[in-house]
Amino acid sequence: MPVLQMQLINLSNITTNNISLPSFSKKEVRLDVLRTDKIHPVVSGNKWFKLRYYLEKAAKLGKTTIVTKGGPWSNHIVATAAACKQSNFNSIGIIRGERPPKPSVTMLDAMRYGMELVFISRKHFSENKLPAFITNNEVLFIDYGGYGTEGAEGAATILDYCAKENYTHIYCSAGSGTMLAGLVNAAAPGTFVTGISSMKNNNSLETEIKFLLKEKNKQFGLIHDYHCGGFATHTTELTAFMNNFFKQTNIPSDIVYTGKLFYAITDLANKNHFPAGSSILAIHSGGLQGNASLNMGTLIF
Ligand SMILES: *Cc1c(COP(=O)(O)O)cnc(C)c1O
Protein backbone atom coordinates (compact mmCIF):
# COMPACT_ATOMS: atom_id res chain seq x y z
CA MET A 1 0.00 0.00 0.00
CA PRO A 2 1.62 3.30 -1.02
CA VAL A 3 1.85 5.76 1.83
CA LEU A 4 -0.36 8.79 1.22
CA GLN A 5 1.37 12.08 0.53
CA MET A 6 0.69 13.95 3.72
CA GLN A 7 -1.29 17.13 3.69
CA LEU A 8 -0.55 18.83 6.97
CA ILE A 9 -3.08 19.99 9.51
CA ASN A 10 -3.61 23.71 8.97
CA LEU A 11 -5.27 25.44 11.91
CA SER A 12 -5.09 28.83 10.22
CA ASN A 13 -7.77 27.60 7.78
CA ILE A 14 -10.39 27.75 10.53
CA THR A 15 -12.99 30.46 9.95
CA THR A 16 -16.20 31.61 11.59
CA ASN A 17 -18.94 31.90 8.94
CA ASN A 18 -22.10 33.90 9.59
CA ILE A 19 -25.11 32.12 8.13
CA SER A 20 -28.08 34.11 6.99
CA LEU A 21 -31.07 31.84 6.64
CA PRO A 22 -34.71 32.85 7.14
CA SER A 23 -35.19 30.26 9.94
CA PHE A 24 -32.82 32.36 12.04
CA SER A 25 -33.13 35.92 10.72
CA LYS A 26 -36.94 35.80 11.05
CA LYS A 27 -36.51 35.09 14.75
CA GLU A 28 -33.72 37.66 15.20
CA VAL A 29 -31.26 34.90 16.00
CA ARG A 30 -27.66 34.98 14.82
CA LEU A 31 -26.00 31.75 13.67
CA ASP A 32 -22.26 31.42 13.17
CA VAL A 33 -20.50 28.22 12.15
CA LEU A 34 -16.96 27.51 13.34
CA ARG A 35 -15.34 25.62 10.48
CA THR A 36 -12.90 23.19 12.08
CA ASP A 37 -13.66 20.92 9.10
CA LYS A 38 -11.30 23.08 7.06
CA ILE A 39 -8.10 22.06 8.87
CA HIS A 40 -7.64 18.97 6.70
CA PRO A 41 -9.47 17.18 3.88
CA VAL A 42 -9.60 13.82 5.68
CA VAL A 43 -8.88 14.38 9.35
CA SER A 44 -12.09 15.37 11.08
CA GLY A 45 -11.81 18.74 12.76
CA ASN A 46 -12.70 17.69 16.23
CA LYS A 47 -10.78 14.42 16.03
CA TRP A 48 -7.48 16.19 15.59
CA PHE A 49 -8.24 18.46 18.55
CA LYS A 50 -9.12 15.45 20.69
CA LEU A 51 -5.88 13.69 19.72
CA ARG A 52 -3.42 16.51 20.21
CA TYR A 53 -2.70 16.00 23.93
CA TYR A 54 -2.61 12.20 23.66
CA LEU A 55 0.15 12.56 21.08
CA GLU A 56 2.00 15.04 23.27
CA LYS A 57 1.75 12.59 26.15
CA ALA A 58 3.00 9.72 23.99
CA ALA A 59 6.00 11.79 22.91
CA LYS A 60 6.79 12.75 26.50
CA LEU A 61 6.61 9.12 27.61
CA GLY A 62 8.81 8.02 24.71
CA LYS A 63 6.12 5.77 23.20
CA THR A 64 6.57 4.73 19.57
CA THR A 65 3.13 3.35 18.74
CA ILE A 66 -0.42 4.59 19.13
CA VAL A 67 -3.21 2.02 19.26
CA THR A 68 -6.87 2.88 19.13
CA LYS A 69 -10.19 1.28 18.19
CA GLY A 70 -13.17 2.14 16.03
CA GLY A 71 -15.82 0.99 13.58
CA PRO A 72 -15.32 0.37 9.84
CA TRP A 73 -16.29 3.98 8.95
CA SER A 74 -14.74 5.64 12.00
CA ASN A 75 -13.57 9.24 11.59
CA HIS A 76 -11.45 8.67 14.67
CA ILE A 77 -9.53 5.79 13.05
CA VAL A 78 -8.53 7.73 9.96
CA ALA A 79 -7.78 10.88 11.98
CA THR A 80 -5.52 8.90 14.30
CA ALA A 81 -3.73 7.35 11.33
CA ALA A 82 -3.09 10.74 9.76
CA ALA A 83 -2.12 12.48 13.00
CA CYS A 84 0.34 9.65 13.81
CA LYS A 85 1.85 9.85 10.35
CA GLN A 86 2.31 13.58 10.77
CA SER A 87 3.92 13.17 14.21
CA ASN A 88 6.00 10.09 13.30
CA PHE A 89 4.25 7.49 15.44
CA ASN A 90 3.41 3.98 14.30
CA SER A 91 -0.31 3.43 14.46
CA ILE A 92 -2.52 0.40 14.86
CA GLY A 93 -6.30 0.53 14.49
CA ILE A 94 -8.44 -2.17 16.09
CA ILE A 95 -11.52 -2.41 13.88
CA ARG A 96 -14.89 -3.80 14.94
CA GLY A 97 -15.95 -6.90 13.01
CA GLU A 98 -14.50 -9.30 10.45
CA ARG A 99 -12.02 -8.08 7.86
CA PRO A 100 -14.33 -7.26 4.93
CA PRO A 101 -13.54 -8.65 1.47
CA LYS A 102 -13.33 -5.07 0.25
CA PRO A 103 -11.96 -2.48 2.70
CA SER A 104 -14.06 0.66 3.32
CA VAL A 105 -12.77 4.01 2.05
CA THR A 106 -12.00 4.85 5.67
CA MET A 107 -9.85 1.74 6.07
CA LEU A 108 -8.05 2.41 2.80
CA ASP A 109 -7.25 5.96 3.86
CA ALA A 110 -6.05 4.77 7.27
CA MET A 111 -3.77 2.17 5.64
CA ARG A 112 -2.42 4.77 3.22
CA TYR A 113 -1.42 6.82 6.24
CA GLY A 114 0.56 3.80 7.38
CA MET A 115 -1.88 2.42 9.95
CA GLU A 116 -1.94 -1.31 10.55
CA LEU A 117 -5.48 -2.65 10.90
CA VAL A 118 -6.39 -5.47 13.25
CA PHE A 119 -9.93 -6.89 13.13
CA ILE A 120 -11.72 -8.25 16.18
CA SER A 121 -15.22 -9.67 16.53
CA ARG A 122 -18.10 -7.36 17.38
CA LYS A 123 -18.53 -9.26 20.63
CA HIS A 124 -14.93 -8.78 21.77
CA PHE A 125 -15.02 -5.18 20.58
CA SER A 126 -18.08 -4.30 22.64
CA GLU A 127 -16.77 -6.22 25.65
CA ASN A 128 -13.51 -4.30 25.28
CA LYS A 129 -11.50 -7.55 24.97
CA LEU A 130 -8.53 -6.14 23.13
CA PRO A 131 -5.35 -7.83 21.87
CA ALA A 132 -2.65 -8.16 24.52
CA PHE A 133 -0.17 -6.00 22.59
CA ILE A 134 -1.97 -2.84 23.69
CA THR A 135 -0.23 -3.16 27.05
CA ASN A 136 3.26 -3.17 25.51
CA ASN A 137 5.61 -0.56 26.90
CA GLU A 138 5.95 1.04 23.50
CA VAL A 139 2.23 1.58 23.13
CA LEU A 140 -0.09 4.41 24.12
CA PHE A 141 -3.70 3.25 23.89
CA ILE A 142 -6.40 5.79 23.07
CA ASP A 143 -10.00 4.86 23.75
CA TYR A 144 -12.84 4.77 21.22
CA GLY A 145 -13.46 8.25 19.81
CA GLY A 146 -10.60 9.74 21.85
CA TYR A 147 -12.73 9.65 25.00
CA GLY A 148 -10.83 10.75 28.12
CA THR A 149 -9.38 13.72 29.97
CA GLU A 150 -6.74 14.50 27.35
CA GLY A 151 -9.42 14.29 24.65
CA ALA A 152 -11.63 16.80 26.44
CA GLU A 153 -8.68 19.12 27.11
CA GLY A 154 -7.77 19.06 23.44
CA ALA A 155 -11.38 19.70 22.38
CA ALA A 156 -11.51 22.68 24.74
CA THR A 157 -8.89 24.40 22.57
CA ILE A 158 -11.38 24.50 19.67
CA LEU A 159 -12.76 27.65 21.30
CA ASP A 160 -9.35 29.35 21.03
CA TYR A 161 -10.21 29.80 17.35
CA CYS A 162 -13.25 32.06 17.78
CA ALA A 163 -14.50 34.97 19.89
CA LYS A 164 -16.27 32.69 22.34
CA GLU A 165 -17.62 35.49 24.60
CA ASN A 166 -19.85 36.63 21.74
CA TYR A 167 -22.27 33.72 22.00
CA THR A 168 -25.28 32.96 24.19
CA HIS A 169 -25.35 29.38 22.88
CA ILE A 170 -22.83 26.88 21.57
CA TYR A 171 -24.09 23.77 19.78
CA CYS A 172 -22.10 20.70 18.78
CA SER A 173 -22.71 17.14 17.77
CA ALA A 174 -22.10 14.42 20.37
CA GLY A 175 -20.88 10.87 19.87
CA SER A 176 -18.75 9.93 22.87
CA GLY A 177 -19.40 13.39 24.35
CA THR A 178 -15.69 14.18 24.68
CA MET A 179 -15.91 17.29 22.50
CA LEU A 180 -19.01 18.49 24.33
CA ALA A 181 -17.27 18.09 27.71
CA GLY A 182 -14.28 20.08 26.46
CA LEU A 183 -16.51 22.86 25.15
CA VAL A 184 -18.47 23.03 28.42
CA ASN A 185 -15.16 23.31 30.29
CA ALA A 186 -13.91 26.10 28.02
CA ALA A 187 -17.11 28.10 27.40
CA ALA A 188 -17.40 31.69 28.65
CA PRO A 189 -19.56 32.07 31.81
CA GLY A 190 -22.65 33.38 29.98
CA THR A 191 -22.69 30.71 27.28
CA PHE A 192 -24.87 27.59 27.40
CA VAL A 193 -23.42 24.59 25.57
CA THR A 194 -25.68 21.92 24.09
CA GLY A 195 -24.87 18.64 22.33
CA ILE A 196 -27.01 16.87 19.75
CA SER A 197 -26.54 13.14 20.28
CA SER A 198 -26.16 11.27 17.01
CA MET A 199 -27.07 7.95 18.62
CA LYS A 200 -30.42 6.52 19.57
CA ASN A 201 -31.06 6.14 23.32
CA ASN A 202 -27.49 6.71 24.41
CA ASN A 203 -28.45 6.70 28.07
CA SER A 204 -24.96 6.62 29.53
CA LEU A 205 -23.83 9.70 27.59
CA GLU A 206 -24.70 12.26 30.25
CA THR A 207 -22.76 10.43 32.97
CA GLU A 208 -19.77 9.99 30.64
CA ILE A 209 -19.74 13.72 29.88
CA LYS A 210 -20.05 14.69 33.55
CA PHE A 211 -17.05 12.51 34.32
CA LEU A 212 -14.95 14.79 32.09
CA LEU A 213 -16.20 18.11 33.49
CA LYS A 214 -13.89 20.28 35.55
CA GLU A 215 -16.77 21.85 37.48
CA LYS A 216 -18.93 18.83 38.15
CA ASN A 217 -22.22 20.72 38.42
CA LYS A 218 -21.78 23.05 35.46
CA GLN A 219 -25.00 22.88 33.44
CA PHE A 220 -25.11 21.80 29.82
CA GLY A 221 -27.75 20.60 27.38
CA LEU A 222 -28.06 17.23 25.70
CA ILE A 223 -30.74 16.56 23.09
CA HIS A 224 -31.57 13.02 21.98
CA ASP A 225 -34.31 13.77 19.45
CA TYR A 226 -32.25 14.20 16.28
CA HIS A 227 -30.50 10.86 15.75
CA CYS A 228 -32.50 10.49 12.49
CA GLY A 229 -32.89 6.74 12.88
CA GLY A 230 -29.69 5.97 14.79
CA PHE A 231 -25.93 6.31 14.63
CA ALA A 232 -25.18 4.48 11.41
CA THR A 233 -28.46 5.24 9.69
CA HIS A 234 -29.92 8.35 8.12
CA THR A 235 -33.21 9.38 6.59
CA THR A 236 -33.87 10.83 3.14
CA GLU A 237 -35.25 13.83 5.03
CA LEU A 238 -31.79 14.33 6.52
CA THR A 239 -29.89 14.06 3.21
CA ALA A 240 -32.44 16.40 1.57
CA PHE A 241 -31.87 18.89 4.38
CA MET A 242 -28.08 18.60 3.98
CA ASN A 243 -28.31 19.27 0.25
CA ASN A 244 -30.55 22.24 0.83
CA PHE A 245 -28.31 23.59 3.60
CA PHE A 246 -25.35 23.31 1.25
CA LYS A 247 -27.21 25.14 -1.54
CA GLN A 248 -28.03 28.01 0.80
CA THR A 249 -24.79 28.27 2.79
CA ASN A 250 -22.12 26.49 0.76
CA ILE A 251 -21.33 24.43 3.88
CA PRO A 252 -21.03 20.66 3.40
CA SER A 253 -22.01 18.42 6.31
CA ASP A 254 -21.87 14.70 7.09
CA ILE A 255 -24.64 12.16 7.65
CA VAL A 256 -23.49 10.95 11.06
CA TYR A 257 -22.80 14.14 12.99
CA THR A 258 -22.88 17.62 11.50
CA GLY A 259 -25.89 17.07 9.21
CA LYS A 260 -27.94 16.15 12.29
CA LEU A 261 -26.49 19.15 14.15
CA PHE A 262 -27.53 21.72 11.54
CA TYR A 263 -30.87 19.98 11.10
CA ALA A 264 -31.50 20.15 14.85
CA ILE A 265 -30.55 23.83 15.24
CA THR A 266 -32.73 24.79 12.28
CA ASP A 267 -35.69 22.81 13.61
CA LEU A 268 -35.26 24.30 17.10
CA ALA A 269 -35.15 27.81 15.63
CA ASN A 270 -38.33 27.14 13.64
CA LYS A 271 -39.98 25.96 16.87
CA ASN A 272 -39.07 29.22 18.67
CA HIS A 273 -36.54 27.56 20.94
CA PHE A 274 -34.18 30.56 20.84
CA PRO A 275 -35.21 33.95 22.27
CA ALA A 276 -34.77 36.94 19.94
CA GLY A 277 -31.27 38.33 20.32
CA SER A 278 -29.65 34.90 20.81
CA SER A 279 -26.35 34.31 19.11
CA ILE A 280 -25.47 30.71 18.38
CA LEU A 281 -22.10 29.22 17.53
CA ALA A 282 -22.38 25.82 15.84
CA ILE A 283 -19.19 23.77 15.73
CA HIS A 284 -18.56 22.20 12.34
CA SER A 285 -16.56 19.24 13.56
CA GLY A 286 -15.75 17.79 10.12
CA GLY A 287 -16.48 14.13 9.41
CA LEU A 288 -17.02 14.59 5.69
CA GLN A 289 -15.01 11.48 4.81
CA GLY A 290 -17.85 9.38 6.29
CA ASN A 291 -20.11 10.45 3.40
CA ALA A 292 -18.10 8.10 1.19
CA SER A 293 -20.34 5.32 2.54
CA LEU A 294 -23.31 6.82 0.65
CA ASN A 295 -24.47 5.87 -2.83
CA MET A 296 -23.13 8.18 -5.53
CA GLY A 297 -25.41 11.13 -6.16
CA THR A 298 -27.13 11.13 -2.75
CA LEU A 299 -25.38 14.38 -1.91
CA ILE A 300 -24.71 17.28 -4.25
CA PHE A 301 -21.32 18.12 -2.68
C1 LIG B 1 -16.39 12.00 16.28
C2 LIG B 1 -17.16 13.14 15.80
C3 LIG B 1 -18.07 13.82 16.63
C4 LIG B 1 -18.37 13.38 18.03
O1 LIG B 1 -17.37 13.76 18.92
P1 LIG B 1 -17.38 13.18 20.39
O2 LIG B 1 -16.29 13.89 21.06
O3 LIG B 1 -17.12 11.70 20.29
O4 LIG B 1 -18.72 13.42 20.99
C5 LIG B 1 -18.72 14.91 16.12
N1 LIG B 1 -18.53 15.31 14.85
C6 LIG B 1 -17.68 14.67 14.03
C7 LIG B 1 -17.54 15.15 12.65
C8 LIG B 1 -16.97 13.57 14.46
O5 LIG B 1 -16.14 12.94 13.61
Side-chain angles (χ1 to χ4, degrees), residues 165-188:
E165 313 72 27
N166 290 354
Y167 301 98
T168 53
H169 301 73
I170 293 178
Y171 273 74
C172 72
S173 167
S176 70
T178 312
M179 168 169 59
L180 176 56
L183 298 174
V184 173
N185 285 337

Side-chain angles (χ1 to χ4, degrees), residues 44-47 50 75-76 144-145 173-180 198 205 254 257-258 284-288:
S44 236
N46 83 335
K47 293 298 185 288
K50 289 195 286 182
N75 292 330
H76 170 67
Y144 190 56
S173 167
S176 70
T178 312
M179 168 169 59
L180 176 56
S198 58
L205 185 56
D254 79 288
Y257 296 107
T258 54
H284 195 317
S285 40
L288 301 171

Side-chain angles (χ1 to χ4, degrees), residues 147-176:
Y147 179 82
T149 311
E150 284 89 351
E153 274 170 15
T157 65
I158 290 174
L159 294 184
D160 295 347
Y161 295 85
C162 65
K164 64 181 183 184
E165 313 72 27
N166 290 354
Y167 301 98
T168 53
H169 301 73
I170 293 178
Y171 273 74
C172 72
S173 167
S176 70

